[in-house]
């Protein structure tokens, strides 16, 4: 697999730099296990090339002037996918725009429409503008919004991506978010969980996911039944393929407190025969 990462060096204060490093380290820790597992994925479509490019956004002049004086400018880092497959870029980047415009990071089915450049810019302006109403004059850090697509590799011919984002508007911590995207080159469409499932097999898949949930709970709590009273199981459709099975990603607070990160439940292919369509089980 091949990915390209860009780094933007900025002149920021020591305090702000320290905070950003800490925030980025947290994101890396939350997604690190996923990226490590992606290395072992089957790579059959070796001709696929993936990189990213920055959204050329500039802060409104009044915000720029104020934050320059206070040395706490909002940090906006939105990246778009730029790959060898334009149709994948269009779907992924439309989703990134949708996340920017809606600002509330929530799991969602593939989007139906596209956001205009003006809608994206207006949304970012609306995001950064409240900072100086919300924060005291002597605060040395600013709002933060980061969104980037990550290429995870291939399982057979399916191309796998993850959109990672991070939003910080004050308080003890920011809010990371992660969304899987699975693409089928044979149809040039995004694949959803419902596309993977054999008709009528969603209840069985949910039961397998619940079993995986109980396995995960045992890594963070002593008693599953007690834990479940506070953090009950729900089925997420945020899924991807791996070399060993189907992984289900959960956001913060979905099935556990913030400190538990973004859990990933894994269901091996050996349990998914006659549950998902054969073409989604690696040959």
């Amino acid at each position: 697999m091949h990915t390209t990462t860009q780094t933007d060096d900025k002149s920021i204060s020591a305090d702000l730099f320290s905070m950003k490093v800490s925030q980025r380290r947290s994101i890396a820790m939350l997604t690190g296990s996923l990226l490590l597992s992606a290395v072992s994925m089957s790579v059959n479509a070796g001709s696929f090339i993936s990189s990213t490019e920055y959204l050329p956004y500039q802060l409104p002049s009044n915000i720029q002037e104020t934050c320059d004086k206070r040395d706490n400018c909002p940090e906006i880092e939105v990246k778009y996918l730029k790959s060898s497959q334009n149709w994948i870029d269009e779907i992924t980047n439309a989703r990134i725009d949708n996340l920017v415009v809606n600002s509330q990071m929530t799991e969602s089915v593939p989007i139906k429409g596209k956001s205009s450049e003006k809608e994206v810019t207006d949304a970012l302006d609306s995001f950064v503008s409240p900072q100086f109403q919300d924060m005291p004059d002597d605060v040395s850090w600013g709002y933060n919004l980061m969104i980037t697509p990550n290429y995870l590799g291939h399982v057979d011919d399916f191309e796998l991506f993850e959109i990672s984002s991070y939003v910080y508007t004050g308080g003890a911590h920011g809010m990371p978010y992660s969304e899987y995207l699975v693409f089928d080159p044979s149809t040039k469409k995004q694949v959803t969980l419902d596309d993977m499932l054999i008709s009528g097999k969603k209840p069985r898949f949910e039961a397998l996911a619940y079993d995986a949930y109980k396995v995960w709970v045992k890594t963070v709590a002593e008693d599953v039944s007690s834990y479940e009273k506070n953090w009950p199981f729900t089925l997420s459709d945020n899924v991807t393929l791996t070399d060993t099975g189907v992984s289900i990603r959960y956001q913060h607070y979905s099935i556990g407190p913030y400190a538990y990160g973004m859990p990933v439940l894994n269901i091996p292919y050996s349990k998914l025969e006659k549950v998902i369509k054969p073409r989604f089980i690696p040959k």
Side-chain angles (χ1 to χ4, degrees), residues 93-107:
N93 295 336
R95 180 59 184 150
I96 290 171
D97 283 343
N98 190 253
L99 290 173
V100 172
V101 169
N102 288 302
S103 71
Q104 296 296 323
M105 309 302 179
T106 56
E107 294 173 22

Side-chain angles (χ1 to χ4, degrees), residues 135-186:
M135 296 184 180
D137 293 348
D138 59 349
V139 168
S140 60
W141 41 263
Y143 280 11
N144 186 232
L145 171 63
M146 295 188 294
I147 303 178
T148 186
N150 303 304
Y151 180 44
L152 302 181
H154 322 266
V155 166
D156 285 351
D157 290 331
F158 296 104
E159 300 288 1
L160 310 172
F161 286 82
E162 177 188 31
I163 296 177
S164 299
S165 70
Y166 181 80
V167 176
Y168 182 71
T169 56
H173 56 72
M175 184 59 69
Y177 172 83
S178 171
E179 180 176 309
Y180 290 135
L181 302 176
V182 178
F183 295 107
D184 183 357
S186 68

Side-chain angles (χ1 to χ4, degrees), residues 47-236:
S47 61
F48 188 82
I49 299 174
S50 174
S51 64
T52 59
E53 60 183 10
Y54 283 89
L55 166 70
Y57 172 74
Q58 292 184 333
L59 295 172
S61 57
N62 63 319
I63 298 293
Q64 188 72 60
E65 181 180 355
T66 303
C67 71
D68 281 343
K69 293 178 181 177
R70 300 182 183 182
D71 198 22
N72 66 338
C73 289
E75 184 176 356
I76 303 298
E77 189 178 283
V78 177
K79 294 181 183 178
Y80 289 125
L81 179 65
K82 188 176 182 181
S83 76
S84 54
Q85 297 294 325
N86 290 337
W87 65 275
I88 292 180
D89 296 351
E90 290 177 1
I91 296 173
T92 303
N93 295 336
R95 180 59 184 150
I96 290 171
D97 283 343
N98 190 253
L99 290 173
V100 172
V101 169
N102 288 302
S103 71
Q104 296 296 323
M105 309 302 179
T106 56
E107 294 173 22
S108 174
V109 297
I111 61 173
K112 302 296 183 181
K114 295 179 65 176
S115 302
S116 68
E117 290 183 13
K118 184 179 186 305
E119 287 175 319
V120 172
T121 300
D122 288 347
L124 291 173
D125 288 349
S126 296
F127 173 80
V128 301
S129 295
Q131 174 177 315
F132 299 107
Q133 284 78 49
D134 295 346
M135 296 184 180
D137 293 348
D138 59 349
V139 168
S140 60
W141 41 263
Y143 280 11
N144 186 232
L145 171 63
M146 295 188 294
I147 303 178
T148 186
N150 303 304
Y151 180 44
L152 302 181
H154 322 266
V155 166
D156 285 351
D157 290 331
F158 296 104
E159 300 288 1
L160 310 172
F161 286 82
E162 177 188 31
I163 296 177
S164 299
S165 70
Y166 181 80
V167 176
Y168 182 71
T169 56
H173 56 72
M175 184 59 69
Y177 172 83
S178 171
E179 180 176 309
Y180 290 135
L181 302 176
V182 178
F183 295 107
D184 183 357
S186 68
T187 61
K188 292 190 174 181
K189 293 182 178 180
Q190 182 182 346
V191 175
T192 67
L193 173 60
D194 287 340
D195 295 327
M196 297 180 189
L197 292 172
I198 295 172
S199 178
K201 293 298 182 178
K202 195 163 190 175
R204 177 55 184 159
F205 183 86
E206 184 169 359
L208 291 170
Y210 178 58
D211 289 342
Y213 161 84
K214 289 187 288 185
V215 171
W216 171 78
V217 169
K218 291 178 181 178
T219 68
V220 297
E222 294 183 359
D223 182 68
V224 174
S225 60
S226 297
Y227 180 92
E228 194 172 7
K229 291 177 182 178
N230 295 316
W231 300 100
F233 169 78
T234 59
L235 180 63
S236 169

Side-chain angles (χ1 to χ4, degrees), residues 1 33-44 152-160 180 182 196 239-248 264-273 276 278-283:
M1 72 181 64
S33 60
L34 170 65
L35 296 177
L36 287 173
S37 67
V39 172
S40 64
M41 288 182 174
S42 303
V43 180
N44 294 337
L152 302 181
H154 322 266
V155 166
D156 285 351
D157 290 331
F158 296 104
E159 300 288 1
L160 310 172
Y180 290 135
V182 178
M196 297 180 189
V239 303
T240 194
L241 304 171
T242 74
D243 58 347
T244 59
V246 171
S247 290
I248 311 170
V264 176
L265 308 182
N266 299 295
I267 306 176
Y269 289 121
S270 60
K271 296 182 178 181
L272 290 169
E273 293 183 7
I276 62 173
R279 62 189 295 258
F280 293 105
I281 298 178
K283 301 176 181 64

